[in-house]
Amino acid sequence: MALPYAEIQKYLKMIIKRRYLFIVVSLFTMSVIVWGGYFIPRKYEAKSSIIIERNVINDLIKGVAITPSMTERIRVLRDTILSRSLILSVLRELDLDTLAADNKELEAMIVDFQKRTNVKVKKNNLFIVTFQDKDPRLAMDYVNSLVRTYVNENVTAKREEAYGASRFLKEQVAFFKGKLDRAEDAIIKFRQDQGIYVAIDERSLINEIKEYGSDIGKIKLRRNELIAKRKSIKGQIKGEEPYSVAVINNMKGNNNILIASMENRLNQLLVSYTENYPEVVKLKAEIEALKKQQSLQPTDNGLQGEVNSGDSAISTINPIYQDLKQDLNRIESEINALDAKEKMLGVMIKQKEKELRYVPEGKKKLADLEKERDSYRKIYEQLLMRLGQSEVSKQMEIANKATTFRIVEPATLPTMPVSPNRKALILAGIFFGFAGGFGAVFLQDTLDSSVKEVQTIKNLELEVLAVIPRIFNEAEQKKERKRDWFIYTIAGFYFLIICAAFIHELLGLTYIETAFADIKISLMNVIAQLQGRLF
Amino acid sequence: MSRIEEILEKAAKMRDGEKNGEKSRRISPPGSKVPRVVRQARIENPNLVTIVDPDSLISEEYRKLKSMVVKLTKMDDFRNMLMVTSAIGGEGKSVTSLNLAITLAQEYDHTVLLVDADLRQPSLNDYLGIHSEIGLTDCLVDGVGIGSALIKTGIGGLVFLPAGRKVSNPGELLSSNRMREVVIELKHRYPDRYVIFDAPPVLPFAEVLSLGAILDGVIFVVREGVTPEDNMKDAVAMLKDTNVLGVVYNAAETVLLSGHYHYSHYYQNR
């Protein structure tokens, strides 16, 4: 905001009115800042630049190996480089720790070095370490040592990290392999114990039960059918005689021949058929009947007498009766077979139902075991993959192919001091001098409660009849002018000295500093002498 | 003052006037003691700019002041009895009253009587280079006729009444009835004459208020960087029963920085 003209005039008037105060305070403040600056010891800054390089291999093996992220590294870089342990090791390397009398002093020294060490990161991969000290050589040595130690420790740490990761993964792989093996063994054992049960599924079991049920139904139907048949045959049998009477020639010798031929026939049939075969049964019965008849012949005279009068009458097996008998036997045996089959099917249904009840429990146990095994297998496989990556990473670290720190600019011996910036200090002195002078004038003006402007009167609603300028009498004016000239001359001359000091600094000369150093030494000598006299 | 003395004084005045014109005269003071007197104004003091440097900016400002005063006093009736005072003293009352009186007197239309009413610290004598031991106090204490104490300065129509001898009770004198009578007498002696009282400051001396109350107007002087603001306010508040015509802002530094210098250049080039 620009000051209005009236405001500027007001301040200018204020300064003119209290010009001596302005001059004295201004020059005093300038002197304190400008000459005081020469008592501030020089500070030199050593600087080292380190670049973090990312090897091209990193991109090639992306996904195969895992290398620490650069941003992560840079994030911790500042903390790491300023860590107590690192600074302590640098101090030890430079034998600076011997300067500390005890641990407390050493700690203070570490904190001091930490504070003075500045780490700046530029463009994400370049970092600059700076350090200021009054001894340029110490600053250079410290920065170089700090950077070297950091880089070395970083490489070691990276390798240890890679080895550590690989070792850990190996341990984990072995551990999970054991677990996986145990889980698989448990599954095998379970399968063995449970046998086929675990392989059957519920649907097929139910189908089988249904099938057996339907078979039983069929059997029952068939049996009922057979029972009915049996009843009918039994009825038929009752109406038939087991033997029928036939007239035959009374030729004893013929019976024997007949029996013999029938027995031959029976033997032939037995070769191909069982005892139950109807033809066999029939033959057997006929043979039996003929033999019976032959043995009965002498005792049956009455009968014989009748028969002997012509052809003799003989009783033979009734073939119908025989057929019915055979059918009955067959039905009986079939019924028996059906009963047996039904019984067996009943047993099987019960067994299947038992299996069906057991299936869910067994399956669950197996599923749990399999789940456990799968989970171990998954972890194991992942670990195995990571182990592979870790191995590649390790090899990369060993071959130093991953991210590397390269010192692009080691610290050199600083020749020009960075602090104090005397040019800036002198300019600041001049600025603050005038500001201080104005401040003092302003303060005095503020403290002065007298009327300073016509407006004050107008504010009281009084009429201002006239504004009379200050009257100078010539003698007084002359005297004042003389005094002013004297003071202005001295002040101007002194200000010129300050300006000369600025030019001196611009030219990079050191005369003033040398002079001040001499003054400093003389002062210290005087103080030492005074102290000697006092104590 | 007896009638005989008045006649004698008049005669002497006429005689001196014949000899030396208006600029100087010599009167015999009353009583046996005849003081050594210088009744000739010798203007050497640079503060009397209206005489020493009439073309200056400052003189011009005094002329402005005069114009204002004339304007304010010639309204309905002629309010010719004026007092110049300030808050604490050292603010330029005497110089203001002198320069105002001179500028007024330099006009053909006005005669001016300047009364040094600052009985404690009279200074107008010195400014005018006049040494006279008869003045206002003598008139008030001893009853000396005012006419005998008046001094014609020779500056236009400016007549001067010095403070007179030093007394121990100036406050009582100023607030006395005698003072009131003197004021009335002065007011009515020459109705067209301005009478300007150079009074003591307001805050230390209460008598100023009683004097101000019987006069027609008060001119209040404020000096830049000297008069404290609070004191000015107090003094103005105390003068509420008087007719404060306005304020003269004295010794202003501001003007030096503003364009007022052009005036002096104008005059110098003339």
Side-chain angles (χ1 to χ4, degrees):
Chain A
M1 195 182 78
L3 282 169
Y5 180 70
E7 283 287 297
I8 297 168
Q9 204 180 34
K10 184 181 143 192
Y11 293 127
L12 208 60
K13 181 186 137 192
M14 213 189 277
I15 291 171
I16 290 169
K17 193 177 163 189
R18 297 185 163 92
R19 55 194 177 278
Y20 298 147
L21 176 75
F22 179 77
I23 288 168
V24 169
V25 174
S26 296
L27 292 182
F28 178 75
T29 314
M30 276 182 215
S31 305
V32 169
I33 297 172
V34 173
W35 307 131
Y38 283 97
F39 285 100
I40 300 169
R42 287 184 164 209
K43 275 187 182 172
Y44 294 86
E45 186 179 83
K47 186 171 89 173
S48 179
S49 309
I50 302 140
I51 200 157
I52 309 167
E53 286 184 325
R54 250 185 111 74
N55 206 299
V56 71
I57 294 173
N58 276 311
D59 295 324
L60 291 174
I61 52 141
K62 209 172 187 177
V64 179
I66 293 164
T67 52
S69 128
M70 190 184 280
T71 45
E72 187 66 21
R73 266 188 193 177
I74 288 164
R75 196 175 63 76
V76 295
L77 185 144
R78 199 187 300 267
D79 295 332
T80 321
I81 210 160
L82 295 175
S83 68
R84 187 193 170 281
S85 58
L86 198 73
I87 288 178
L88 181 64
S89 60
V90 171
L91 293 182
R92 281 191 178 138
E93 192 185 315
L94 298 175
D95 287 336
L96 289 169
D97 58 327
T98 52
L99 299 173
D102 51 21
N103 279 340
K104 203 176 164 186
E105 273 190 26
L106 187 63
E107 281 304 317
M109 191 188 269
I110 291 167
V111 171
D112 175 46
F113 273 74
Q114 267 175 338
K115 276 183 189 166
R116 285 194 283 153
T117 311
N118 187 22
V119 183
K120 268 189 206 162
V121 179
K122 277 187 182 172
K123 294 175 193 168
N124 285 332
N125 66 342
L126 178 77
F127 71 96
I128 298 157
V129 180
T130 52
F131 179 76
Q132 287 185 8
D133 195 82
K134 57 185 176 184
D135 180 0
R137 184 159 292 281
L138 172 73
M140 179 188 75
D141 290 346
Y142 172 77
V143 169
N144 281 336
S145 179
L146 182 71
V147 167
R148 197 173 51 245
T149 314
Y150 173 73
V151 171
N152 286 343
E153 285 203 2
N154 196 280
V155 169
T156 316
K158 274 197 298 177
R159 285 187 180 172
E160 275 176 10
E161 196 183 336
Y163 274 107
S166 188
R167 199 163 46 239
F168 175 75
L169 283 172
K170 270 182 187 166
E171 283 168 13
Q172 291 302 307
V173 163
F175 176 70
F176 277 94
K177 179 81 174 68
K179 281 204 161 196
L180 181 64
D181 287 347
R182 279 196 292 281
E184 279 186 337
D185 289 347
I187 290 167
I188 291 163
K189 191 170 180 293
F190 183 78
R191 279 185 189 283
Q192 281 172 351
D193 291 348
Q194 297 301 317
I196 56 159
Y197 292 147
V198 288
I200 296 166
D201 81 296
E202 290 168 45
R203 196 182 293 275
S204 65
L205 269 178
I206 291 163
N207 284 341
E208 277 176 24
I209 291 166
K210 275 183 185 170
E211 245 171 63
Y212 292 155
S214 130
D215 285 354
I216 288 171
K218 282 177 191 168
I219 287 165
K220 279 183 177 166
L221 204 69
R222 176 73 184 145
R223 193 173 58 188
N224 289 342
E225 190 185 325
L226 289 172
I227 289 167
K229 217 171 181 179
R230 185 175 67 181
K231 196 177 173 185
S232 150
I233 289 170
K234 276 182 179 173
Q236 280 181 327
I237 285 173
K238 276 181 186 171
E240 290 290 333
E241 288 298 324
Y243 300 100
S244 60
V245 178
V247 177
I248 55 169
N249 292 327
N250 192 11
M251 292 167 63
K252 204 180 172 181
N254 288 344
N255 279 354
N256 288 335
I257 296 162
L258 189 63
I259 288 167
S261 70
M262 285 173 81
E263 277 178 347
N264 277 339
R265 173 72 184 147
L266 180 67
N267 287 334
Q268 278 173 358
L269 284 172
L270 281 171
V271 172
S272 306
Y273 303 103
T274 61
E275 296 282 339
N276 293 328
Y277 192 70
E279 191 68 29
V280 173
V281 175
K282 184 185 166 191
L283 271 173
K284 272 184 177 177
E286 281 175 354
I287 291 163
E288 194 67 28
L290 283 170
K291 279 179 180 174
K292 218 171 195 177
Q293 189 186 1
Q294 209 168 14
S295 60
L296 288 170
Q297 225 163 4
T299 55
D300 291 342
N301 287 329
L303 187 63
Q304 227 169 15
E306 287 174 25
V307 174
N308 282 345
S309 59
D311 294 331
S312 60
I314 55 159
S315 64
T316 60
I317 292 165
N318 186 354
I320 296 167
Y321 179 82
Q322 285 298 324
D323 282 348
L324 288 171
K325 196 81 177 168
Q326 276 176 12
D327 282 349
L328 188 64
N329 284 342
R330 188 172 51 78
I331 286 166
E332 285 288 348
S333 64
E334 197 174 341
I335 286 171
N336 288 339
L338 285 173
D339 283 346
K341 199 175 175 185
E342 189 187 357
K343 201 175 172 186
M344 190 192 80
L345 282 171
V347 170
M348 279 178 81
I349 283 173
K350 278 186 180 164
Q351 195 180 343
K352 291 288 172 192
E353 281 173 350
K354 192 182 163 194
E355 279 174 23
L356 194 62
R357 275 195 296 276
Y358 187 73
V359 161
E361 198 186 336
K363 277 203 166 182
K364 188 180 169 293
K365 274 188 183 172
L366 184 69
D368 286 347
L369 287 170
E370 280 175 344
K371 211 182 276 175
E372 194 184 352
R373 189 246 348 247
D374 289 347
S375 127
Y376 288 142
R377 181 179 287 160
K378 204 173 167 186
I379 295 169
Y380 173 72
E381 279 168 359
Q382 280 181 349
L383 282 171
L384 215 57
M385 193 180 79
R386 290 272 189 272
L387 182 65
Q389 288 179 337
S390 161
E391 280 299 317
V392 179
S393 307
K394 191 174 85 180
Q395 291 306 319
M396 275 179 71
E397 292 301 341
I398 291 165
N400 212 7
K401 296 287 182 196
T403 312
T404 49
F405 288 83
R406 193 159 62 84
I407 301 165
V408 281
E409 190 193 338
T412 51
L413 191 70
T415 49
M416 290 298 287
V418 287
S419 168
N421 183 351
R422 298 232 161 87
K423 292 187 276 287
L425 204 66
I426 293 171
L427 285 178
I430 292 170
F431 174 78
F432 285 111
F434 285 130
F438 179 73
V441 166
F442 188 77
L443 185 72
Q444 209 195 24
D445 196 73
T446 312
L447 294 173
D448 177 9
S449 64
S450 65
V451 179
K452 292 182 208 78
E453 52 186 3
V454 183
Q455 192 57 40
T456 315
I457 296 155
K458 287 180 180 168
N459 290 345
L460 289 172
E461 294 179 354
L462 290 169
E463 187 167 359
V464 179
L465 299 173
V467 178
I468 312 292
R470 193 175 148 206
I471 302 167
F472 288 97
N473 77 57
E474 211 168 314
E476 208 176 284
Q477 208 171 354
K478 213 171 174 181
K479 203 174 152 189
E480 197 172 306
R481 272 186 196 153
K482 205 173 167 185
R483 191 171 60 218
D484 281 356
W485 187 86
F486 179 71
I487 286 173
Y488 291 157
T489 308
I490 290 176
F493 182 70
Y494 188 72
F495 185 67
L496 277 177
I497 291 174
I498 288 172
C499 292
F502 180 68
I503 294 163
H504 169 273
E505 288 302 325
L506 274 182
L507 295 171
L509 303 172
T510 55
Y511 297 116
I512 299 177
E513 196 175 4
T514 315
F516 270 89
D518 290 344
I519 293 167
K520 212 165 148 183
I521 292 164
S522 309
L523 275 173
M524 283 165 82
N525 285 339
V526 169
I527 291 164
Q529 278 176 4
L530 281 172
Q531 279 179 336
R533 280 183 198 171
L534 283 170
F535 304 107
Chain B
M1 192 185 280
S2 67
R3 195 171 169 81
I4 298 166
E5 281 171 341
E6 275 182 34
I7 293 162
L8 280 171
E9 187 196 2
K10 206 171 178 180
K13 222 158 88 180
M14 286 173 72
R15 193 168 53 247
D16 286 343
E18 281 170 9
K19 282 180 183 171
N20 303 314
E22 286 291 312
K23 282 186 179 174
S24 66
R25 64 193 117 158
R26 193 180 172 84
I27 58 161
S28 301
S32 56
K33 197 176 169 187
V34 180
R36 278 180 60 215
V37 291
V38 179
R39 301 179 72 89
Q40 173 73 47
R42 285 201 309 275
I43 310 299
E44 287 168 358
N45 195 305
N47 285 315
L48 300 182
V49 278
T50 42
I51 292 176
V52 179
D53 190 5
D55 294 340
S56 70
L57 150 76
I58 303 169
S59 300
E60 187 59 35
E61 290 300 318
Y62 279 117
R63 278 193 282 274
K64 280 186 198 168
L65 172 66
K66 175 207 71 183
S67 304
M68 287 294 287
V69 169
V70 169
K71 193 178 138 194
L72 290 167
T73 52
K74 280 189 172 173
M75 293 169 88
D76 301 331
D77 54 337
F78 184 47
R79 295 186 285 183
N80 63 332
M81 304 298 280
L82 304 174
M83 178 178 87
V84 178
T85 186
S86 68
I88 52 168
E91 289 139 313
K93 294 182 302 294
S94 303
V95 172
T96 306
S97 45
L98 259 170
N99 280 306
L100 175 64
I102 288 166
T103 47
L104 278 168
Q106 280 170 342
E107 279 194 9
Y108 294 110
D109 298 342
H110 302 116
T111 53
V112 183
L113 170 60
L114 178 62
V115 183
D116 194 347
D118 191 351
L119 303 182
R120 287 184 177 81
Q121 209 176 345
S123 58
L124 295 182
N125 275 355
D126 294 335
Y127 283 113
L128 290 169
I130 293 171
H131 294 282
S132 170
E133 289 184 1
I134 302 169
L136 184 60
T137 49
D138 303 287
C139 298
L140 295 172
V141 175
D142 303 329
V144 175
I146 288 176
S148 62
L150 295 177
I151 300 167
K152 275 203 166 185
T153 60
I155 306 162
L158 176 64
V159 180
F160 173 54
L161 176 60
R165 68 171 200 270
K166 287 221 168 189
V167 286
S168 57
N169 57 344
E172 283 81 3
L173 276 184
L174 281 182
S175 51
S176 64
N177 280 332
R178 174 67 188 139
M179 183 66 199
R180 186 181 289 269
E181 284 167 18
V182 167
V183 168
I184 292 164
E185 188 186 339
L186 289 174
K187 184 175 173 68
H188 296 294
R189 179 175 281 202
Y190 298 104
D192 61 339
R193 184 169 66 177
Y194 277 104
V195 183
I196 298 169
F197 287 82
D198 179 22
V202 175
L203 292 181
F205 312 114
E207 68 268 16
V208 186
L209 299 175
S210 56
L211 178 63
I214 55 170
L215 297 179
D216 294 330
V218 174
I219 293 166
F220 191 77
V221 180
V222 170
R223 190 186 176 111
E224 184 182 290
V226 172
T227 312
E229 208 174 311
D230 291 343
N231 287 357
M232 179 190 72
K233 285 176 186 169
D234 293 345
V236 169
M238 285 170 81
L239 288 167
K240 67 178 186 298
D241 294 332
T242 64
N243 176 29
V244 179
L245 295 177
V247 177
V248 173
Y249 188 78
N250 199 18
E253 301 272 2
T254 331
V255 185
L256 296 174
L257 292 163
S258 65
H260 286 76
Y261 274 123
H262 298 298
Y263 289 107
S264 54
H265 289 303
Y266 173 75
Y267 285 117
Q268 277 163 14
N269 295 334
R270 200 167 54 172

